Coordinates of all heavy atoms in Angstrom, one line a residue:
E132 N 0.9 -1.2 0.0 CA 0.0 0.0 -0.1 C 0.9 1.2 0.0 O 0.6 2.2 -0.7 CB -0.9 0.0 1.3 CG -1.8 1.2 1.3 CD -2.7 1.2 2.6 OE1 -2.7 0.2 3.3 OE2 -3.3 2.3 2.9
R136 N 1.0 4.2 -2.9 CA 0.7 5.6 -2.6 C 1.9 6.5 -3.0 O 1.7 7.6 -3.5 CB 0.4 5.7 -1.1 CG 0.0 7.1 -0.6 CD -1.3 7.5 -1.3 NE -1.8 8.8 -0.9 CZ -2.3 9.7 -1.5 NH1 -2.5 9.5 -2.8 NH2 -2.7 10.9 -1.0
N165 N 18.9 28.3 19.1 CA 18.7 27.0 19.6 C 17.1 26.7 19.4 O 16.6 25.9 20.1 CB 19.0 26.9 21.0 CG 20.4 26.9 21.3 OD1 21.3 26.4 20.6 ND2 20.9 27.8 22.3
I178 N 3.7 25.3 5.6 CA 3.3 24.3 4.5 C 1.7 24.1 4.5 O 1.2 24.1 3.4 CB 3.9 23.0 4.9 CG1 5.5 23.1 4.7 CG2 3.4 21.8 4.1 CD1 6.3 21.9 5.2
V181 N -0.1 26.7 2.5 CA 0.0 26.6 1.1 C -0.8 25.4 0.7 O -1.5 25.5 -0.3 CB 1.5 26.4 0.8 CG1 1.6 25.8 -0.7 CG2 2.3 27.5 1.0
I182 N -0.9 24.3 1.4 CA -1.8 23.2 1.0 C -3.2 23.6 1.0 O -4.0 23.2 0.2 CB -1.5 22.0 2.0 CG1 -0.1 21.4 1.7 CG2 -2.6 21.0 1.8 CD1 0.3 20.3 2.7
Q183 N -3.6 24.5 2.0 CA -5.0 25.1 1.9 C -5.3 26.1 1.0 O -6.3 26.7 0.9 CB -5.3 25.5 3.4 CG -5.4 24.5 4.4 CD -5.7 25.0 5.8 OE1 -5.6 24.3 6.8 NE2 -6.1 26.2 5.9
N200 N 9.7 31.1 26.0 CA 10.9 31.0 26.9 C 11.3 32.3 27.5 O 12.4 32.4 28.0 CB 11.9 30.2 26.3 CG 12.6 30.8 25.2 OD1 12.4 32.0 25.0 ND2 13.4 30.2 24.4
G206 N 16.9 25.7 24.1 CA 16.1 24.6 23.4 C 14.8 24.5 24.1 O 14.4 25.1 25.1
G209 N 8.9 20.6 20.6 CA 7.9 20.9 19.4 C 6.4 21.0 19.9 O 5.6 21.8 19.4
A212 N 5.8 24.4 21.1 CA 5.6 25.3 20.0 C 4.3 25.2 19.4 O 3.6 26.3 19.1 CB 6.7 25.2 19.1
K214 N 1.5 24.1 20.6 CA 0.4 24.6 21.5 C 0.3 26.0 21.4 O -0.7 26.6 21.5 CB 0.7 24.0 22.9 CG 0.4 22.7 23.2 CD 0.7 22.2 24.6 CE 0.3 20.7 24.9 NZ 0.6 20.4 26.3
Y215 N 1.5 26.7 21.5 CA 1.5 28.2 21.4 C 1.0 28.7 20.0 O 0.5 29.8 20.0 CB 2.9 28.8 21.6 CG 2.9 30.3 21.7 CD1 2.6 30.9 22.9 CD2 3.1 31.1 20.6 CE1 2.4 32.3 23.0 CE2 2.9 32.4 20.7 CZ 2.7 33.0 21.9 OH 2.6 34.4 22.1
A228 N 13.3 36.2 11.4 CA 13.2 34.8 11.8 C 13.9 34.4 13.0 O 13.4 33.7 13.8 CB 13.6 33.9 10.5
R233 N 13.1 42.0 22.1 CA 11.7 42.5 22.5 C 11.2 43.6 21.6 O 10.1 43.9 21.6 CB 11.7 42.9 23.9 CG 12.1 41.6 24.9 CD 12.0 42.2 26.4 NE 12.4 41.0 27.2 CZ 11.6 40.1 27.7 NH1 10.3 40.2 27.5 NH2 12.0 39.2 28.5
Q248 N -2.4 31.1 12.5 CA -2.5 30.2 13.6 C -2.8 28.8 13.4 O -3.4 28.5 12.2 CB -3.8 30.7 14.5 CG -3.7 32.2 15.1 CD -5.0 32.6 15.6 OE1 -6.1 32.3 15.1 NE2 -4.8 33.5 16.6
V249 N -2.5 27.9 14.3 CA -2.8 26.5 14.2 C -4.2 26.2 14.9 O -4.2 26.4 16.1 CB -1.7 25.6 14.6 CG1 -2.1 24.1 14.8 CG2 -0.5 25.7 13.8
D253 N -2.5 17.3 15.6 CA -2.4 15.9 16.1 C -1.2 15.7 16.8 O 0.0 16.1 16.5 CB -2.6 14.9 15.0 CG -3.9 14.9 14.2 OD1 -4.9 15.0 14.9 OD2 -3.8 14.8 13.0
A273 N 6.2 17.7 12.6 CA 7.5 18.2 13.3 C 7.9 17.1 14.2 O 7.0 16.6 15.1 CB 7.1 19.4 14.1
I301 N 13.2 14.8 5.0 CA 12.9 15.8 6.0 C 13.4 17.1 5.4 O 14.3 17.3 4.5 CB 13.7 15.6 7.2 CG1 15.2 15.6 7.0 CG2 13.2 14.3 8.0 CD1 16.1 15.7 8.3
W305 N 18.6 24.1 8.9 CA 19.9 24.6 8.8 C 20.2 25.3 7.5 O 21.4 25.3 7.0 CB 20.9 23.5 9.1 CG 20.9 23.0 10.6 CD1 20.3 23.5 11.6 CD2 21.5 21.7 10.9 NE1 20.5 22.8 12.7 CE2 21.2 21.7 12.4 CE3 22.2 20.7 10.4 CZ2 21.6 20.6 13.1 CZ3 22.6 19.7 11.2 CH2 22.4 19.6 12.6
L317 N 16.3 10.3 6.1 CA 16.6 9.6 7.3 C 16.1 8.2 7.2 O 15.0 8.0 6.8 CB 16.1 10.3 8.6 CG 16.6 11.6 9.0 CD1 15.8 12.1 10.2 CD2 18.1 11.7 9.1
T323 N 12.3 7.5 13.4 CA 11.3 7.3 14.4 C 11.2 8.3 15.5 O 12.4 8.4 16.2 CB 11.5 5.9 14.9 OG1 11.3 4.9 13.8 CG2 10.4 5.5 15.9

Side-chain angles (χ1 to χ4, degrees):
E132 180 183 353
R136 185 66 178 140
N165 295 312
I178 293 170
V181 169
I182 289 173
Q183 291 182 189
N200 67 16
K214 284 179 178 178
Y215 185 83
R233 294 181 185 274
Q248 298 171 323
V249 171
D253 293 318
I301 63 164
W305 292 347
L317 300 179
T323 299

